């Protein structure tokens, strides 16, 4: 073979290779971006959903001071070291929702926020923002906790490789989110809150006002993801709850959602809970006599420190027992991700309308660890 022949053959094979690569990626690309191909093969049942009515959607590009607003705030608990990931969450929620509605933000921390934190966060927020310090007694482990017993509990969980099993700050955080955040001075002026954490994602436009929807429809608790809890973190929680119910049957709603949290009428807890890193809920519900007494009773047993009771099961059990089941709302329309799980809206129309970027076939709703089946069953 002379040099020219070799050259011609090389060019020939390179071209064939390029062509097959391009046509493959083109086809693949076409497949991946065609919505009907993604959504049509999913056979999700949308019959149990409770869609947001048209009147809660807004076509106005940005808020308008005269339009109706709820008594609500967006709330984030964070450390100064969470700044980069806090900024990312705030930017996404501002882009997808709040630039249109301009609800105020509140940030809370048990240490003073740094100037850098306040400046960078304020720079990505369109409306009012405030930064609060958590009172010492609302955060730290109380003196009456038996520290020896608490240490034994933490070491046991470390041995069992339970996530945050050995952490005291994580326990402080769970107790604060269970029974204290809604007592903070900065939150007294509000009824509704939307809880947001650093490093979460919002995958769809939220062109409707979820707070007004909750207010008008007499809701108290809204969620996007529901799943099973680790039983090792809450070994005595259900027995404690049963003890409380026995002492206070008057607080149990006649139309409760016991069927969501128990498969045997309350004998045992099935570990289902709403994932509380996302919550749109009424602080007046947590401020009620029923919840106040419930939290005080739970707290008095020390389970936040001797075990590792989470605010998610504590809130979920209360919502299921003290509210009517129709006061708990599943926000299907809100595409939400907190590592490692994503809720992507069910139903092609909703997905399209929200300009969602998530993959609906990878939504957590029907994952084996999801409690959505349990939730749908009681609808
Ligand atoms: N100020 C403060 N916030 C915390 C602390 N620990 C956790 N948080 C916040 O509490 C929330 C839950 O904590 P995270 O680490 O995300 O827990 P996970 O979602 O259960 O893995 C997030 O908003 C954190 O920023 C802490 O020690 N101090
Ligand atoms: C502001 O909202 C009010 C009430 O919803 C509406 O009548 C008015 O047209 C809006 N203004 C603008 C500039 O969009
Ligand atoms: C908002 O809600 C809080 C808590 O219920 C209440 O104290 C406050 O008066 C309300 N504000 C308005 C303007 O309705
Ligand atoms: Mg988190």
């Amino acid at each position: 073979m002379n040099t020219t022949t070799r050259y011609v053959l090389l060019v020939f094979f390179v071209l064939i290779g390029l062509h097959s690569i391009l046509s493959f990626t083109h086809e693949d690309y076409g497949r991946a971006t065609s919505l009907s191909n993604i959504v049509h093969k999913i056979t999700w049942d949308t019959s149990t959903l409770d869609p947001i009515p048209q009147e809660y959607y807004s076509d106005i590009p940005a808020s308008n001071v005269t339009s109706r607003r709820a008594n609500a705030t967006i709330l984030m608990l964070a450390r100064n070291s969470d700044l980069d990931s806090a900024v990312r969450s705030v930017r996404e929620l501002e882009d997808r929702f709040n630039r249109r509605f301009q609800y105020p933000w509140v940030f809370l921390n048990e240490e003073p926020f740094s100037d850098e934190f306040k400046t960078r966060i304020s720079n990505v927020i369109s409306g009012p923002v405030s930064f609060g310090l958590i009172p010492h007694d609302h955060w730290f482990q109380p003196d009456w906790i038996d520290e020896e017993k608490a240490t034994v509990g933490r070491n046991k969980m470390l041995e069992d490789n339970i996530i945050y099993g050995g952490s005291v700050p994580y326990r402080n955080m769970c107790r604060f989110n269970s029974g204290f955040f809604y007592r903070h001075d900065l939150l007294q002026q509000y009824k509704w809150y939307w809880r947001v954490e650093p490093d979460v994602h919002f995958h769809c436009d939220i062109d409707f006002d979820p707070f007004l929807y909750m207010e008008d429809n007499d809701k108290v608790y809204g969620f996007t993801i529901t799943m099973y809890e680790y039983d090792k973190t809450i070994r005595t929680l259900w027995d404690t709850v049963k003890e409380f119910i026995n002492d206070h049957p008057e607080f149990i709603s006649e139309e409760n959602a016991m069927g969501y949290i128990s498969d045997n009428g309350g004998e045992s807890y099935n570990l289902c809970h709403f994932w509380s890193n996302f919550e749109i809920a009424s602080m007046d519900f947590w401020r009620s006599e029923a919840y106040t007494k419930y939290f005080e009773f739970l707290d008095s047993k020390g389970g936040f420190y001797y075990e590792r009771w989470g605010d998610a099961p504590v809130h979920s059990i209360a919502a299921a027992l003290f509210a009517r089941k129709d006061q708990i709302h599943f926000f299907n329309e809100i595409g939400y991700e907190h590592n490692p799980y994503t809720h992507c809206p069910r139903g092609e129309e909703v997905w399209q309308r929200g300009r969602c970027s998530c993959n609906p076939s990878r939504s957590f709703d029907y994952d084996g660890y999801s409690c959505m089946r349990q939730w749908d069953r009681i609808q």
Side-chain angles (χ1 to χ4, degrees):
M1 249 190 269
N2 65 27
T3 326
T4 320
T5 319
R6 238 184 258 163
Y7 179 74
V8 167
L9 277 176
L10 181 71
V11 169
F12 178 73
F13 283 117
V14 165
L15 282 178
I16 288 200
L18 267 180
H19 178 261
S20 51
I21 288 170
L22 280 176
S23 52
F24 175 76
T25 38
H26 175 73
E27 202 181 61
D28 211 41
Y29 179 78
R31 210 178 278 143
T33 51
S34 158
L35 173 63
S36 53
N37 278 333
I38 297 177
V39 178
H40 281 159
K41 38 177 201 224
I42 297 165
T43 53
W44 284 343
D45 180 9
T46 54
S47 64
T48 56
L49 300 176
D50 189 4
I52 303 291
Q54 180 57 34
E55 68 209 86
Y56 293 98
Y57 280 84
S58 153
D59 294 325
I60 308 166
S63 87
N64 157 349
V65 277
T66 60
S67 58
R68 196 177 147 234
R69 292 155 61 75
N71 184 355
T73 185
I74 310 175
L75 173 66
M76 183 186 286
L77 175 70
R79 293 156 288 216
N80 284 311
S81 58
D82 292 322
L83 178 53
D84 289 342
S85 41
V87 164
R88 282 195 292 270
S89 290
V90 172
R91 276 204 69 151
E92 284 192 29
L93 192 57
E94 283 288 326
D95 286 352
R96 289 296 206 167
F97 168 72
N98 205 40
R99 73 195 162 93
R100 185 182 296 267
F101 294 98
Q102 301 194 352
Y103 278 103
W105 284 82
V106 171
F107 292 80
L108 298 180
N109 188 351
E110 87 283 10
E111 288 177 5
F113 280 113
S114 65
D115 289 339
E116 187 194 356
F117 191 101
K118 291 191 263 195
T119 307
R120 285 176 55 196
I121 289 287
S122 303
N123 283 352
V124 290
I125 287 181
S126 54
V129 52
S130 42
F131 300 91
L133 183 63
I134 295 167
H136 187 278
D137 292 350
H138 287 190
W139 185 267
F140 295 97
Q141 179 174 315
D143 296 338
W144 51 262
I145 290 287
D146 176 348
E147 176 52 28
E148 251 171 67
K149 187 174 167 187
T151 308
V152 171
R154 290 197 303 272
N155 289 342
K156 175 93 186 59
M157 287 195 197
L158 268 179
E159 276 167 33
D160 290 351
N161 279 321
I162 291 169
I163 186 168
Y164 305 117
S167 169
V168 175
Y170 192 83
R171 287 174 169 77
N172 295 339
M173 182 275 288
C174 289
R175 177 169 174 265
F176 174 78
N177 277 327
S178 296
F180 294 95
F181 77 90
Y182 51 86
R183 306 190 209 182
H184 195 278
D185 279 350
L186 287 176
L187 296 176
Q188 293 317 298
Q189 57 183 308
Y190 303 113
K191 173 175 177 186
W192 301 101
Y193 71 101
W194 181 335
R195 174 167 160 189
V196 178
E197 284 197 358
D199 251 336
V200 298
H201 301 285
F202 295 95
H203 290 299
C204 309
D205 283 350
I206 304 153
D207 289 343
F208 60 89
D209 187 328
F211 299 119
L212 285 180
Y213 172 77
M214 300 274 291
E215 176 77 44
D216 292 351
N217 294 279
D218 198 20
K219 306 285 183 187
V220 298
Y221 192 89
F223 70 97
T224 51
I225 291 181
T226 161
M227 66 176 66
Y228 294 100
E229 177 63 297
Y230 303 108
D231 60 334
K232 287 178 177 166
T233 60
I234 51 164
R235 288 201 183 284
T236 65
L237 177 60
W238 189 250
D239 282 343
T240 309
V241 169
K242 285 206 290 189
E243 208 182 316
F244 180 77
I245 296 174
N246 271 328
D247 294 351
H248 292 286
E250 74 276 15
F251 291 141
I252 307 302
S253 164
E254 281 178 14
E255 297 159 68
N256 62 65
M258 182 66 100
Y260 162 70
I261 53 173
S262 175
D263 300 334
N264 45 25
E267 184 52 33
S268 60
Y269 179 35
N270 64 14
L271 306 175
C272 283
H273 64 289
F274 307 117
W275 219 17
S276 61
N277 48 65
F278 173 104
E279 287 181 324
I280 298 179
S282 164
M283 288 188 277
D284 287 352
F285 180 69
W286 309 130
R287 292 166 183 146
S288 69
E289 189 194 357
Y291 189 82
T292 304
K293 294 223 163 110
Y294 163 86
F295 174 75
E296 278 169 8
F297 186 72
L298 262 49
D299 195 33
S300 73
K301 299 287 181 176
F304 289 103
Y305 292 98
Y306 302 140
E307 298 179 16
R308 207 214 68 196
W309 294 352
D311 49 288
V314 169
H315 281 183
S316 303
I317 290 170
L321 296 181
F322 308 146
R324 301 188 312 268
K325 81 177 182 196
D326 67 274
Q327 290 182 299
I328 304 175
H329 184 71
F330 167 49
F331 277 110
N332 177 51
E333 290 85 349
I334 301 182
Y336 174 71
E337 175 176 354
H338 176 298
N339 187 39
Y341 301 125
T342 299
H343 161 69
C344 193
R346 222 188 295 171
E348 177 166 7
E349 215 174 288
V350 175
W351 190 91
Q352 187 71 280
R353 177 175 194 170
R355 297 156 38 84
C356 300
S357 58
C358 48
N359 180 346
S361 66
R362 301 270 305 269
S363 185
F364 186 67
D365 293 28
Y366 289 98
D367 186 285
Y369 290 105
S370 169
C371 275
M372 196 52 93
R373 256 174 292 254
Q374 198 84 17
W375 176 255
D376 280 347
R377 226 184 49 199
I378 66 159
Q379 296 315 299

